[in-house]
């Protein structure tokens, strides 16, 4: 839907400012290998390139402006594209000539690096032109193309300049020349989904059906021949090209084990899965493809009913950064990549186009307010890729199977997918607030903003003001020349909600989690509600949460940190009295903490020099507990953290 | 100490018969690549050689009897040596001409494969003679030499033939020519400790001081220069030999990060650590080296007070099959290798030489009756390397970080270290029963046996009969021409123990866990005691055992299996009423099971289509529980298993 909205929310503006003032310039330095930047290892694995970014230099070499070898991941180009997309988003919010110059330098370089025939992927251009599109399981050529498309759309929206769109259209012609069901063309898709969702966006902007068709084609060809990737490698070997892959290709990892229509579960690499599912939902919407929608919905259900952390994190295992099986949600070995939760937001947003059901927005909000923003420190310069629900710094250091679970946010990684993904998402948050269906405008997220949305050729002026600090209130001003229907998502975390038109209470119907209200011309709605502290429990089959609870207040899941609660958090159990406290901590910002009564198991003297002993009923001492919002963890000192806490 | 003892114990004879009748012939076929044998992968790792053993063929190639390449691990030779040691142990128990022929075929082959200068290691002989002793971090040359020494000792003890001892002495001369503190010699030790403990054994048999000295030298040189292994590789590269190692050598893994005297903790690869520590204790004893004993004791304490599972398993992580940190004892991701618990028995036995403290024997027994024998199925043909305390077959299949945790015992692995290690240990169990100190004979393990031990030139005839089925009783007949002191270990698992001489009760002193009794000439001691079911709890810092108990009766730790108790064992909690039931199950043998009252959390209908919900006090149903001894798990059908069970 078309909207022009400006976010004026204290909470979110802090993030947007951090992105503008800290992250964009910081990442600029990273991409240019300048400045004093420490690049950390994602985990202990010697095969991970991590000395420097080299991303801009790769483009210069591909453009012939510089000499040398490609360095970094096969998807290193996408770091540049995601930076550009974020920069464009920021520029759209607040024009800044310095930023425009930086963007244009990058756009020039991309134009210059593109091959005559439209091809663009610096690794293959520099190191292995003979292998272009011939190692799709790992090449990320179309993945990068997808990110370039998204960057081009953002850049055009921000600057009205279609130079990058032209690069993109030339690249797509190149792709169309190489891919397709016709004899002699490549009949398969990239090993990392992304172009599929980007092509739909491009279709939405350009209205050119071919992009929608190409997206659908990539979705439908996936998994038709599970041997496709292996056959490419065999074919390469036959004609003397390229190296062998040392072990069998795990097609589930790539969601290429069966056609998307037949995929019953969320399986394989989590980011790939949600990027694919988002595109499925998008394509289903635009092509009215019910079968595709059913398949997307099946994947959605499997995620949110069986495979999602309470923080909106997904990906239960580090190996393959992947889904495992139903109810397998370990809290201290999981992956829960920031990018995967961002992808889950994409997926939710795309599902909302198809059917207005508040559940999609609930999950979108859960991912956004917890795992997504947990990915970034309050200084805007340190980032989590992995978002654990339980951390012990000693484990991260001394148990090699937890080396991926960082106890502190590193400044930058060799694989820099997450930070720029956060940046582009948080600078385009206004796109997640509303959705439409027929004559109804759906309000999915609540944050202070002002602007206009267009629904069925009707321009609607909207303004929102929200307070979640002590008592909850939302004021919503809506103005349109004709009556429209407004559907307000009722968050799962409110109680005793009252909706008033101006000052009068009135009756409203609740449909699939939305309060549906007819609005005539200019209306002010005042919503008031309590925001209780809710103790959640997980499905009993979630072994790792047995006997434990997780606190939530508003959209925020809470955690205990060692800083406030001491060591050995696993020995703490929570009672059920809570009160909230609004703090303004210089290091954490404006913060609602939860104070709770708890108990902590005593380690008595008898335990000295003993590892096991006969059972005695354990003793506890009273313990005052302080919970903070999960996304704020590890912004003070390194220490233990835990979301799921034993319940007395 | 010198002893001639025959075990006549129903429980242990079943194992010894299985080894004799099933395992030795089975492994013979494996080593010869004959028969229809499935070789499983230890875990999902393409770099692990696992098609076949090829071990005998490697010797034939090295001997020039056959042509081809070496196949398998660098330590493949040790499979042959461990087979030979087990076979010799079996032959000593019951002579069998067929077995003698098989052994002699192997001995001939070993003799034939040895180089003129005494060198013996088929990989380097066949594939890389220029690298002999030049890649010690991984070469396992001295590790294999250690196993050859142990095999030679067993072979001589069983046959009175010293042919292999001669091979061994020639090999040691070769080693002495290459290693030493003198200029020009190699001033470092093998990457896998084993020769150290073997050399002490050889010293004990031959009384040749040089072997003890060499063992001490290998122990003392370790870690003196933590860069030693890397320097070897650098030196190789300098003179154009051999490949680079792709990542820095983790010296902690090899316990080569500091001198053994300075090692404060049990760190690195668990098997390496306990093999080293056993040798340290042995050398300390024979050389009266207090500093070495102190170091060994420090490692012992760290293991048993902070890093050992209740099953006697050690090695908390699969990566490096290693120790991690204090109280880190996860039940479902650990390694707990069978070989490591065997090594822990070696270590305990060696410590008992130095100081008679029942704790060493308690731990030795714990390892033996639980993790060690859990390594072998009741059919004698299937083996665990990894001995988890909690298994869910779905996790093992679908969570790649648990691919090493097998839900069923595979028949054979490419890396065949554990099965032959079980075989050689269980066929030499009589060596673990007694120890001596000054004029006292210590009884450390209880099992039916008969024989003679020599203490201070006194020959003592001993006979033991034990019953643990319902009430506990031990009868001990001792006969010596002069009075001796007998120290009977008081197991941790007895209650109300009464010791009678013939029929008369009497007073005895308890010193460091032993009941010390003076015996004159021929005495019959009758011990009677209760064997209660004990509920153990773990130190509160063991996060994974929080709120849980583990049952033990006698030396056996117990577990719940899905076969008896249904799925979702984590939802079960145990109350505190137990009764025992003696069963004679055809598939599990004579078995004392524990029947207990329990409760199981109900998964109510409200949970359908929900992953999280507001906390409600969970409901439970009554549940009759059946616990079986841990070592017998997975001998019926595949399913869940759990040692630590929630306690109400």
């Amino acid at each position: 839907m078309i909207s022009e909205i400006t976010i004026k929310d204290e909470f979110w503006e802090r993030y947007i400012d951090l992105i503008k003032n800290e992250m964009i310039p910081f990442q600029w330095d990273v991409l240019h290998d300048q400045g004093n930047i420490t690049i950390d290892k994602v985990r202990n694995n010697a095969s991970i390139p991590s000395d420097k970014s080299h991303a801009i230099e790769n483009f210069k070499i591909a453009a012939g402006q510089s000499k040398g070898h490609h360095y970094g991941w096969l998807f290193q180009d996408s770091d540049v594209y995601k930076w550009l997309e974020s920069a464009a988003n920021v520029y759209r919010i607040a024009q800044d000539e310095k930023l425009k110059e930086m963007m244009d330098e990058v756009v020039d370089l991309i134009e210059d690096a593109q091959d005559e025939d439209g091809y663009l992927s610096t690794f293959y251009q520099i190191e292995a032109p003979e292998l272009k599109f011939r190692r799709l399981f790992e090449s990320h050529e179309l993945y990068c193309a997808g990110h370039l498309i998204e960057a081009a759309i953002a850049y055009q929206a921000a600057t009205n300049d279609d130079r990058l769109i032209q690069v993109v259209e030339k690249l797509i012609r190149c792709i169309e020349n190489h891919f397709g069901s016709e004899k002699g063309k490549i009949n398969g898709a990239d090993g990392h989904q992304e172009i599929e969702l980007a092509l739909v966006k491009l279709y939405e902007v350009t209205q050119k059906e071919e992009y929608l068709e190409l997206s659908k084609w990539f979705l439908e060809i996936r998994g038709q021949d599970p041997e496709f990737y292996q056959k490419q490698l065999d074919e390469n070997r036959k004609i003397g090209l390229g190296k062998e892959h040392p072990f069998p290709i795990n097609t589930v990892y790539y969601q290429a084990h069966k056609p998307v229509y037949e995929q019953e579960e969320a399986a394989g690499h989590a980011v790939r899965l949600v990027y694919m599912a988002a595109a499925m939902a998008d394509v289903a919407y635009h092509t009215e493809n019910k079968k595709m929608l059913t398949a997307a919905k099946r994947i959605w259900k499997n995620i949110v009913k069986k495979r999602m952390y309470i923080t909106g994190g997904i990906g239960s295992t580090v190996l393959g950064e992947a889904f495992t099986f139903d109810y397998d949600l370990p809290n201290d070995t999981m992956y829960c990549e920031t990018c995967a939760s961002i992808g889950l937001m994409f997926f939710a947003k795309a599902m909302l186009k198809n059917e207005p059901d508040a559940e999609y927005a609930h999950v979108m909000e859960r991912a956004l307010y917890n795992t997504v923003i947990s990915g970034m420190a309050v200084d805007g310069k340190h980032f989590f890729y992995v978002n654990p629900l339980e951390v012990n710094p000693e484990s991260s250091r001394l148990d090699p199977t937890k080396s991926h679970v960082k106890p502190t946010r590193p400044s930058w990684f060799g694989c820099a997918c997450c930070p720029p993904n956060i940046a582009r998402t948080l600078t385009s948050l206004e796109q997640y607030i509303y959705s439409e269906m027929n004559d109804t405008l759906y309000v999915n997220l609540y944050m202070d903003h002002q602007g206009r949305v267009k629904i069925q050729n009707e321009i609607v002026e909207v303004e929102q003001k929200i307070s979640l600090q002590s008592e909850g209130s939302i004021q919503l001003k809506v103005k349109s020349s004709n009556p429209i229907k407004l559907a307000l998502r009722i968050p799962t975390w409110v109680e005793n909600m009252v909706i008033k038109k101006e000052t009068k209470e009135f009756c409203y119907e609740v449909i699939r989690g939305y309060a549906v209200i007819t609005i005539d011309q200019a209306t002010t709605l005042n919503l008031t509600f309590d925001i209780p502290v809710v103790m959640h429990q997980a499905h009993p089959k979630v072994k790792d949460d047995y006997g434990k609870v997780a606190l939530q207040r508003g959209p925020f899941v809470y955690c205990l940190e060692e800083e406030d609660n001491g060591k050995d958090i696993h020995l703490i159990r929570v009672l059920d009295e809570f009160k909230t406290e609004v703090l303004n901590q210089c290091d954490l910002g404006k913060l609602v903490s939860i104070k709770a009564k708890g108990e902590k198991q005593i380690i008595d003297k008898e335990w000295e020099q003993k590892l096991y002993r006969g059972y005695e009923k354990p003793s506890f001492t009273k313990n005052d507990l302080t919970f903070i919002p999960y996304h704020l963890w590890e912004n003070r000192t390194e220490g233990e953290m835990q979301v799921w806490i034993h319940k007395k």
Side-chain angles (χ1 to χ4, degrees), chain A:
Chain A
M1 69 185 302
I2 298 166
S3 65
E4 273 172 40
I5 285 173
T6 309
I7 289 172
K8 311 197 158 209
D9 188 285
E10 194 182 351
F11 183 82
W12 290 112
E13 275 185 315
R14 184 166 69 91
Y15 282 100
I16 294 164
D17 286 348
L18 279 173
I19 290 162
K20 185 181 156 196
N21 300 325
E22 301 294 341
M23 230 176 128
I24 301 261
F26 177 80
Q27 198 188 349
W28 176 263
D29 285 346
V30 171
L31 296 173
H32 287 79
D33 308 309
Q34 62 200 22
N36 184 15
I37 284 154
T38 312
I39 294 190
D40 282 278
K41 278 185 185 299
V42 182
R43 49 186 180 270
N44 297 339
N45 185 333
S47 69
I48 293 176
S50 60
D51 282 356
K52 57 192 166 187
S53 165
H54 210 257
I56 290 291
E57 188 62 18
N58 290 339
F59 276 94
K60 286 191 178 159
I61 297 167
Q65 299 176 15
S66 192
K67 291 223 175 300
H69 280 286
H70 181 277
Y71 179 88
W73 296 92
L74 290 166
F75 50 85
Q76 207 79 347
D77 294 356
S78 66
D79 288 358
V80 173
Y81 302 148
K82 281 193 271 184
W83 176 86
L84 187 59
E85 186 182 345
S86 316
N89 288 346
V90 165
Y91 186 78
R92 195 174 33 71
I93 297 167
Q95 281 74 38
D96 171 327
E97 277 323 296
K98 176 78 189 357
L99 185 59
K100 179 72 163 51
E101 276 167 34
M102 289 156 84
M103 288 197 293
D104 288 347
E105 182 192 311
V106 171
V107 173
D108 290 346
L109 185 57
I110 295 170
E111 276 184 322
D112 203 16
Q114 186 169 38
D115 281 351
E116 267 311 297
D117 67 349
Y119 184 88
L120 187 53
S121 175
T122 64
F123 175 81
Y124 289 94
Q125 290 172 288
I126 298 169
E127 302 295 337
E130 73 285 3
L131 283 172
K132 286 177 183 175
F133 299 136
R134 298 190 70 98
R135 287 177 69 81
L136 284 168
F137 82 103
E138 68 168 11
S139 73
H140 286 78
E141 289 157 293
L142 304 183
Y143 168 85
C144 289
H147 278 300
L148 178 56
I149 294 169
E150 293 196 85
I153 294 167
Y155 180 74
Q156 190 190 34
T159 63
N160 265 320
D161 182 340
D162 73 344
R163 280 201 296 156
L164 259 193
I165 295 282
Q166 285 181 35
V167 170
V168 152
E169 296 204 302
K170 194 169 156 193
L171 171 55
I172 296 174
R173 277 194 299 281
C174 169
I175 293 167
E176 285 171 336
N177 287 337
H178 283 85
F179 289 81
S181 309
E182 305 90 321
K183 207 172 147 62
K185 287 190 169 180
I186 303 161
N187 208 15
D190 195 273
H192 198 315
Q193 301 91 322
E194 153 64 24
I195 196 169
E196 298 84 351
L197 71 85
L199 283 166
V200 180
K201 279 195 183 179
L202 189 62
Y203 160 73
E204 288 172 345
V205 171
T206 62
Q207 291 298 314
K208 293 186 186 167
E209 294 278 348
E210 63 170 298
Y211 302 143
L212 183 60
E213 279 308 307
L214 185 58
S215 172
K216 181 161 172 274
W217 186 84
F218 276 128
L219 286 172
E220 290 186 331
I221 196 65
R222 176 169 296 275
Q224 291 293 347
D225 177 6
E227 299 295 306
F228 167 71
Y229 297 129
Q230 189 55 53
K231 283 180 185 164
Q232 273 208 319
L233 298 186
D234 295 346
E235 178 65 22
N236 290 346
R237 213 175 41 251
K238 219 187 283 170
I239 58 172
L241 282 181
K243 50 192 184 216
E244 271 209 69
H245 193 54
F247 45 85
I249 291 174
N250 173 3
T251 55
V252 177
Y253 174 86
Y254 303 97
Q255 291 86 34
H257 54 305
K258 49 172 100 164
V260 295
Y261 291 121
E262 294 167 24
Q263 297 190 19
E264 306 264 336
E265 293 179 336
H269 185 258
V271 175
R272 284 172 166 81
L273 186 276
V274 282
Y275 278 29
M276 175 181 86
M280 287 166 69
D282 271 340
V283 166
Y285 171 67
H286 287 294
T287 64
E288 294 177 27
N289 182 336
K290 285 221 172 112
K291 207 175 140 198
M292 185 80 88
L293 181 60
T294 304
K297 233 166 133 169
R298 211 160 43 209
I299 291 173
W300 174 269
K301 280 226 162 116
N302 186 240
I303 294 175
V304 304
K305 306 293 185 198
K306 312 242 169 107
R307 299 185 180 193
M308 183 184 74
Y309 288 86
I310 195 161
T311 51
I314 48 176
S316 293
T317 181
V318 56
L319 292 179
E321 304 169 355
F323 293 98
T324 54
F325 57 96
D326 291 349
Y327 304 113
D328 182 43
L329 295 164
N331 292 311
D332 57 349
T333 55
M334 71 304 91
Y335 206 67
C336 282
E337 186 178 343
T338 308
C339 286
S341 288
I342 289 171
L344 187 57
M345 288 179 65
F346 299 165
F347 187 15
K349 183 167 173 277
M351 288 304 289
L352 281 167
K353 289 183 192 166
N354 287 285
E355 45 178 39
D357 187 318
E359 189 196 66
Y360 300 116
H362 294 334
V363 170
M364 187 164 80
E365 183 188 64
R366 184 173 291 285
L368 174 62
Y369 282 82
N370 298 287
T371 296
V372 174
I373 53 175
S374 161
M376 184 164 128
V378 293
D379 69 359
K381 291 189 213 167
H382 294 83
F383 308 95
F384 278 136
Y385 290 58
V386 172
N387 294 280
L389 285 84
E390 183 172 324
V391 166
N392 176 351
E394 209 172 9
S395 295
S396 299
R397 269 197 308 277
L398 298 172
D399 177 355
T401 60
K402 290 181 185 146
S403 74
H404 64 293
V405 182
K406 303 286 172 204
T408 52
R409 287 177 185 82
S411 80
W412 203 259
F413 280 156
C415 166
C417 56
C418 297
N421 225 352
I422 298 176
R424 70 189 187 116
T425 305
L426 299 191
T427 51
S428 59
L429 262 193
E430 73 284 353
Q431 297 175 20
Y432 296 81
I433 300 175
Y434 294 100
S435 62
E436 65 177 318
M437 176 64 75
N438 305 323
D439 60 344
T440 309
L441 180 66
Y442 289 85
V443 189
N444 296 307
L445 293 183
Y446 296 103
M447 59 186 73
D448 294 5
H449 68 270
Q450 195 172 20
R452 293 179 302 177
V453 295
K454 193 172 162 194
I455 171 167
Q456 290 193 329
N457 294 319
E458 185 73 32
I459 302 285
V460 185
E461 283 179 41
V462 290
E463 191 182 339
Q464 235 188 68
K465 276 200 165 49
I466 174 169
S467 167
L468 300 179
Q469 294 269 312
S470 38
E471 274 169 16
S473 71
I474 296 170
Q475 190 182 66
L476 197 58
K477 292 187 188 169
V478 186
K479 196 172 152 190
S480 71
S481 38
N482 291 300
I484 60 151
K485 269 202 234 160
L486 198 66
L488 304 172
R489 180 176 69 98
I490 304 173
T492 50
W493 41 265
V494 302
E495 247 176 34
N496 308 321
M497 177 141 152
V498 174
I499 306 183
K500 291 182 182 169
K501 273 190 194 164
E502 274 76 43
T503 54
K504 262 190 297 200
E505 231 177 292
F506 65 100
C507 284
Y508 53 88
E509 201 181 358
V510 176
I511 302 173
R512 299 178 90 175
Y514 291 93
V516 182
I517 301 155
T518 303
I519 299 290
D520 32 35
Q521 306 207 348
T523 310
T524 299
L525 293 174
N526 286 298
L527 287 64
T528 54
F529 45 85
D530 298 330
I531 315 171
V533 174
V534 179
M535 258 199 303
H536 282 286
Q537 62 182 332
H539 192 289
K541 282 195 176 267
V542 182
K543 191 194 290 194
D544 298 84
D545 298 340
Y546 177 91
K548 294 178 186 167
V549 292
L551 300 195
Q552 184 172 347
R553 183 185 175 276
F556 299 105
V557 172
Y558 278 70
C559 67
L560 289 181
E561 273 202 297
E562 184 179 328
E563 167 120 6
D564 305 307
N565 303 285
K567 274 200 182 299
D568 294 327
I569 294 181
H570 72 278
L571 293 179
I572 290 173
R573 58 188 196 184
V574 75
L575 313 177
D576 32 23
E577 289 166 54
F578 309 108
K579 62 174 194 226
T580 55
E581 207 170 293
V582 183
L583 304 171
N584 200 348
Q585 283 210 1
C586 56
D587 41 7
L588 297 181
K590 226 178 238 173
L591 157 85
V592 179
S593 72
I594 300 172
K595 301 283 179 183
K597 295 273 172 226
E599 294 180 346
K600 190 163 182 180
Q601 190 178 329
I602 295 165
I603 303 178
D604 60 51
K605 283 214 175 129
E606 291 285 299
W607 276 117
E608 259 171 49
Q609 294 300 316
K610 271 192 195 139
L611 185 50
Y612 304 103
R613 72 182 198 202
Y615 177 78
E616 290 164 39
K617 213 173 157 59
S619 309
F620 290 82
T621 45
K622 295 258 175 261
N623 206 275
D624 288 328
L625 306 177
T626 302
F627 288 81
I628 64 162
Y630 170 73
H631 73 276
L632 289 174
W633 83 275
E634 202 291 296
N635 272 292
R636 295 171 295 173
T637 52
E638 184 184 286
E640 295 179 24
M641 184 279 291
Q642 215 167 301
V643 168
W644 287 97
I645 309 292
H646 289 293
K647 170 78 180 73
K648 187 180 180 178

